Amino acid sequence: RVIMDSKPSKNHSQGDKIVAADRLVKFFHLPNSRSTGVLSLLKELNADYELHVLNIKVNEQRSAEYLAINPMGKVPAIQHGDELITEQVAIFLYLTDLYPEANLAPKIGDPLRGSYLRWMVYYGTCFEPAIVDRASKREPLTPLVSPYSDFDTMLNILTAQLSKGDYFLGDKFTA
């Protein structure tokens, strides 16, 4: 259900399927980057999206046009109507709410919703910074000021949660 760099109209014809413009998102992607997670989610959601692949060879992610979308020049980013959403976790939360029928996120009121939100945010605020620091061989901050305490603590918390079932929420697969 991907439309390659076309201009959205009220509806798009895609083979025998009409793609509703009200759920069509434009997805800004760089292959082999963290935006690949969003691409996987779009496919898992069976979402309608317009794929815009940025050309890193010409530094398109640093162009004035793209910096108007994400001033940091980073991917992923999506545009849905007039809304621009950046930051991987925000995009995951937005898309799972936009496609609730895929059941990839507990709905508001579900007892698992709080845990789901916790682990989604844990990824961006604890896991990823810890991995980047470790991979970059950067000296970590003291646990008192570090967003993830220390690498071993972050990893032990993550491992303990994953030991409870096949997925973060036990037996329920989520985004």
Side-chain angles (χ1 to χ4, degrees):
R1 293 197 185 172
V2 62
I3 298 167
M4 300 295 291
D5 287 330
S6 62
K7 298 288 181 208
S9 63
K10 186 171 183 180
N11 289 305
H12 294 277
S13 176
Q14 215 174 43
D16 295 333
K17 179 180 179 288
I18 299 296
V19 176
D22 64 336
R23 292 211 308 182
L24 180 68
V25 296
K26 185 171 186 178
F27 170 48
F28 298 89
H29 175 55
L30 273 173
N32 304 313
S33 73
R34 69 172 45 111
S35 69
T36 303
V38 173
L39 180 61
S40 297
L41 178 61
L42 287 164
K43 291 175 181 180
E44 192 71 32
L45 292 167
N46 202 24
D48 300 320
Y49 62 98
E50 176 185 339
L51 180 63
H52 180 82
V53 177
L54 297 168
N55 186 342
I56 198 168
K57 291 179 183 175
V58 297
N59 214 21
E60 187 178 3
Q61 75 281 7
R62 303 300 303 164
S63 69
E65 182 182 352
Y66 188 70
L67 290 174
I69 292 162
N70 188 341
M72 293 179 66
K74 303 266 184 202
V75 293
I78 63 169
Q79 183 170 13
H80 179 228
D82 293 333
E83 291 293 321
L84 275 170
I85 301 98
T86 63
E87 311 314 318
Q88 187 168 10
V89 172
I91 292 169
F92 269 58
L93 295 171
Y94 190 90
L95 289 173
T96 56
D97 286 348
L98 187 61
Y99 285 89
E101 70 277 8
N103 292 313
L104 289 179
K107 293 170 182 50
I108 294 175
D110 185 314
L112 294 174
R113 181 72 177 187
S115 185
Y116 170 74
L117 293 174
R118 175 196 179 193
W119 291 111
M120 290 296 286
V121 173
Y122 191 88
Y123 170 82
T125 60
C126 297
F127 178 76
E128 189 172 296
I131 295 296
V132 170
D133 282 351
R134 176 67 60 100
S136 301
K137 296 181 178 21
R138 283 195 285 228
E139 190 65 35
L141 298 170
T142 64
L144 182 62
V145 295
S146 172
Y148 58 88
S149 184
D150 62 79
F151 187 86
D152 291 334
T153 299
M154 178 283 303
L155 191 58
N156 289 337
I157 291 168
L158 186 67
T159 303
Q161 180 64 23
L162 288 171
S163 71
K164 296 177 183 178
D166 292 335
Y167 307 105
F168 275 101
L169 300 183
D171 296 328
K172 180 166 176 49
F173 177 75
T174 58

